[in-house]
Amino acid sequence: MELWTSGSSDKNKAMVEQLERYGIVQSKRVKEVMEAIDRALFVPAETRSPYYDSPMPIGYNATISAPHMHATCLELLEKNLQPGMRALDVGSGTGYLTACFAMMVGPQGCVVGVEHIPDLVSFSIDNIKKSVAEPLLNGDSLSIHAADGRQGWPELAPYDAIHVGAAAPEIPQPLLDQLKPGGRMVIPVGTVFQELKVVDKNLDGSISVRDETSVRYVPLTSKAAQLNAY
């Protein structure tokens, strides 16, 4: 789904206001963080306007998701991104959502991005340094690592919020294990047909899963398979 493709969102604030008009951005905190983190800083310079509601290639057979998908995931995770909470961003790509998460949990929280392409890790860190999230990168509350996101980042688990930015054939068990009781994961699941699944770990450790919407993401796979995808 593309809500608009040209002319209606030339600046970051206008993009967020458009998402709000469509009912995708609903909470004040999501609106504020999307206005604070300028999407233009996280899109390669050679791509078309960063504010178009469309996924965009970032190299290495990866993409940055469309703004409406970023807003959807932020809204789904908002209650698990309160100040002081912990979040994991799997397939962190350009670092856009990782930066949003860090702003929401603040300096007392902890956000970890995991991306298996080292060049994208470097790119994302450079992007965050240009944004208002830069002070959090210099502290202990925001870090990005080159690793296989399917294994999560157990060193700083458990997490209140886990976001996965690529489609897994099934929900990886390590990510379920690293989700805190009371925590929530948002993950696209499927191959040809994909659903954005909302995974809640109940306080007794049991898991509840529901489908939010049909989506189309690049696959969550190995580094070698991703680089050789085309």
Side-chain angles (χ1 to χ4, degrees), residues 7 101 107:
F101 294 162

Side-chain angles (χ1 to χ4, degrees), residues 5 31 57 61 73 102 133 147 169 177 190 206 227:
T5 55
K31 181 179 181 181
N61 296 316
C73 292
D177 294 342
S206 61
L227 292 177

Side-chain angles (χ1 to χ4, degrees), residues 127-199:
N127 296 339
I128 292 169
K129 286 179 178 177
K130 301 173 198 170
S131 78
V132 294
E134 188 265 346
L136 299 170
L137 194 61
N138 293 332
D140 296 327
S141 56
L142 172 57
S143 60
I144 299 183
H145 307 271
D148 185 345
R150 296 172 296 181
Q151 303 304 314
W153 193 255
E155 290 87 337
L156 292 172
Y159 300 99
D160 298 279
I162 297 178
H163 167 264
V164 183
E170 57 187 22
I171 302 171
Q173 187 61 46
L175 299 184
L176 289 172
D177 294 342
Q178 292 169 41
L179 189 62
K180 183 179 180 179
R184 169 171 285 188
M185 178 181 354
V186 174
I187 176 172
V189 177
T191 51
V192 177
F193 301 102
Q194 301 171 5
E195 294 290 333
L196 187 67
K197 293 188 180 290
V198 178
V199 182

Side-chain angles (χ1 to χ4, degrees), residues 7-213:
S8 60
S9 211
D10 294 331
K11 295 182 178 180
N12 194 68
K13 190 172 191 298
M15 177 194 78
V16 179
E17 289 172 348
Q18 185 85 316
L19 291 166
E20 187 178 31
R21 281 194 291 272
Y22 277 98
I24 297 171
V25 168
Q26 298 181 9
S27 69
K28 180 181 178 183
R29 294 181 72 232
V30 170
K31 181 179 181 181
E32 288 175 346
V33 78
M34 290 190 73
E35 288 181 345
I37 301 295
D38 190 343
R39 182 177 167 90
L41 301 176
F42 294 84
V43 174
E46 65 273 16
T47 62
R48 57 181 178 153
S49 170
Y51 307 115
Y52 287 176
D53 194 40
S54 173
M56 297 177 186
I58 59 173
Y60 310 96
N61 296 316
T63 62
I64 180 173
S65 293
H68 77 269
M69 284 309 307
H70 283 155
T72 295
C73 292
L74 286 167
E75 287 287 351
L76 289 169
L77 291 169
E78 189 264 340
K79 289 183 174 58
N80 296 83
L81 294 168
Q82 300 298 313
M85 288 186 170
R86 291 177 174 260
L88 173 66
D89 189 15
V90 173
S92 49
T94 69
Y96 175 82
L97 271 187
T98 326
C100 290
F101 294 162
M103 293 294 291
M104 293 176 81
V105 304
Q108 303 307 314
C110 176
V111 174
V112 180
V114 179
E115 168 59 56
H116 60 192
I117 306 295
D119 285 351
L120 286 179
V121 172
S122 299
F123 180 55
S124 64
I125 291 171
D126 289 342
N127 296 339
I128 292 169
K129 286 179 178 177
K130 301 173 198 170
S131 78
V132 294
E134 188 265 346
L136 299 170
L137 194 61
N138 293 332
D140 296 327
S141 56
L142 172 57
S143 60
I144 299 183
H145 307 271
D148 185 345
R150 296 172 296 181
Q151 303 304 314
W153 193 255
E155 290 87 337
L156 292 172
Y159 300 99
D160 298 279
I162 297 178
H163 167 264
V164 183
E170 57 187 22
I171 302 171
Q173 187 61 46
L175 299 184
L176 289 172
D177 294 342
Q178 292 169 41
L179 189 62
K180 183 179 180 179
R184 169 171 285 188
M185 178 181 354
V186 174
I187 176 172
V189 177
T191 51
V192 177
F193 301 102
Q194 301 171 5
E195 294 290 333
L196 187 67
K197 293 188 180 290
V198 178
V199 182
D200 290 310
K201 181 176 278 190
N202 303 311
L203 294 178
D204 63 2
S206 61
I207 299 293
S208 302
V209 182
R210 66 175 174 84
D211 291 347
E212 176 68 17
T213 186

